[in-house]
């Protein structure tokens, strides 16, 4: 399925690096999400954008900075991350809160 | 109390068995409910929405009890391909969707 595409699929970065994760959805949805999935923990909602406006920010450290330039694209800018930030970062989109969300394949991030 | 709680399992069942998963949620303002499935090292995929009247999709039946803040998923005649982690998801009308930690199912021949 190519409805929600994330790049890169894998990323290794040092603690002083700056990198960005990209998400693109081809489903015509108007809400996009960033989730973090760490080993043996539930998916953690990080950010929600609805109609390109951020509507949710779950106390995420400022070293994670989201950007939603339009309804089809979502970025997560990363800087000065810590090793405990290593996880699978999943992007999702939805048309309506009643319909559920569709996920991209994720970016597996390792901070060294 | 966790926002969405699930029995982590694992559930190990033989092919053809019936298995049931339970989930409870803490936010009484929740308005949307889903079951997702996640295969190892893959993204979660929407399995089915859950409605107050209950709904069925083939071998899968989902139930919602709003008064008890409880959701269930029943899988009948389980197949090897049903082996996965099943995630309970609860949402509000501001697109805030919260996931449970998941219940792991292994179906054995």
């Amino acid at each position: 399925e190519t409805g929600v595409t994330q790049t890169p699929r894998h990323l290794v970065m040092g603690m002083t690096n700056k990198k960005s994760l990209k998400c693109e959805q081809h489903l015509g949805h108007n809400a996009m999400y960033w989730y973090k999935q760490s080993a043996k923990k539930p998916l953690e909602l990080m950010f929600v954008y609805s109609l390109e406006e951020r509507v949710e920010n779950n106390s995420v450290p400022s070293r994670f900075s989201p950007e939603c330039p339009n309804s089809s694209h979502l970025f997560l800018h990363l800087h000065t991350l810590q090793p405990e930030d290593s996880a699978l970062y999943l992007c999702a989109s939805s048309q309506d809160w009643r319909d559920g969300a569709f996920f991209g394949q994720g970016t597996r991030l390792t901070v060294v | 109390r966790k926002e969405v709680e699930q029995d982590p399992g694992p559930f190990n069942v033989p092919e053809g068995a019936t298995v049931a998963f339970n989930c409870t949620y803490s936010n009484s303002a929740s308005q949307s409910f889903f079951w997702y499935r996640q295969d190892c090292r893959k993204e979660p995929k929407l399995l089915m929405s859950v409605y107050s009247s209950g709904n069925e999709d083939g071998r899968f039946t989902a139930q919602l009890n709003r008064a008890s803040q409880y959701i269930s998923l029943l899988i009948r005649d389980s197949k090897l391909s049903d082996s996965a982690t099943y995630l309970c998801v609860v949402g509000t009308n501001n697109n805030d969707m919260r996931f449970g930690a998941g219940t792991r199912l292994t179906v054995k021949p």
Side-chain angles (χ1 to χ4, degrees), chain B residues 27-43:
Chain B
N27 185 356
S28 59
S30 300
Q31 299 189 36
S32 57
F33 309 90
F34 310 94
W35 283 100
Y36 278 71
R37 113 174 232 160
Q38 186 172 25
D39 293 284
C40 189
R41 302 188 74 80
K42 299 275 191 173
E43 75 275 20

Side-chain angles (χ1 to χ4, degrees), chain A residues 1 9-10 30-31 33 35 37 40-43 45 48-50 55-56 58 88 90 94-106 108, chain B residues 2-4 30-34 36 38 40-46 49 51 87 89-102 104:
Chain A
E1 292 182 24
R9 294 290 306 280
H10 301 272
N30 56 27
Y33 311 75
Y35 281 88
Q37 188 171 36
K40 300 187 188 298
K41 293 177 70 175
L43 270 77
L45 180 61
V48 181
Y49 277 82
S50 180
V55 296
E56 187 77 30
N58 285 293
L88 180 67
L90 289 157
S94 69
Q95 176 58 25
D96 186 280
W97 55 270
R98 287 164 287 206
D99 296 337
F102 293 85
F103 283 83
Q105 292 178 299
R108 190 159 296 280
Chain B
K2 294 179 185 175
E3 293 181 69
V4 182
S30 300
Q31 299 189 36
S32 57
F33 309 90
F34 310 94
Y36 278 71
Q38 186 172 25
C40 189
R41 302 188 74 80
K42 299 275 191 173
E43 75 275 20
K45 293 190 176 179
L46 180 62
S49 301
Y51 306 112
L87 304 169
V89 183
V90 174
T92 60
N93 62 357
N94 65 349
N95 292 311
D96 186 343
M97 293 174 56
R98 304 290 171 141
F99 282 70
R104 191 164 177 180

Side-chain angles (χ1 to χ4, degrees), chain B residues 34-82:
Chain B
F34 310 94
W35 283 100
Y36 278 71
R37 113 174 232 160
Q38 186 172 25
D39 293 284
C40 189
R41 302 188 74 80
K42 299 275 191 173
E43 75 275 20
K45 293 190 176 179
L46 180 62
L47 182 64
M48 58 197 304
S49 301
V50 189
Y51 306 112
S52 296
S53 55
N55 48 302
E56 188 174 312
D57 183 2
R59 298 181 294 109
F60 298 83
T61 300
Q63 297 275 355
L64 167 65
N65 184 321
R66 284 185 182 269
S68 302
Q69 295 182 200
Y70 169 91
I71 305 161
S72 66
L73 176 68
L74 184 76
I75 305 176
R76 290 181 300 278
D77 188 26
S78 52
K79 312 290 185 191
L80 297 177
S81 57
D82 294 333

Side-chain angles (χ1 to χ4, degrees), chain A residues 66-82:
Chain A
E67 179 190 0
C68 187
N70 55 61
S71 60
S72 299
H73 293 85
L74 185 65
F75 294 90
L76 188 63
H77 303 300
L78 316 171
H79 65 97
T80 59
L81 295 192
Q82 305 298 311

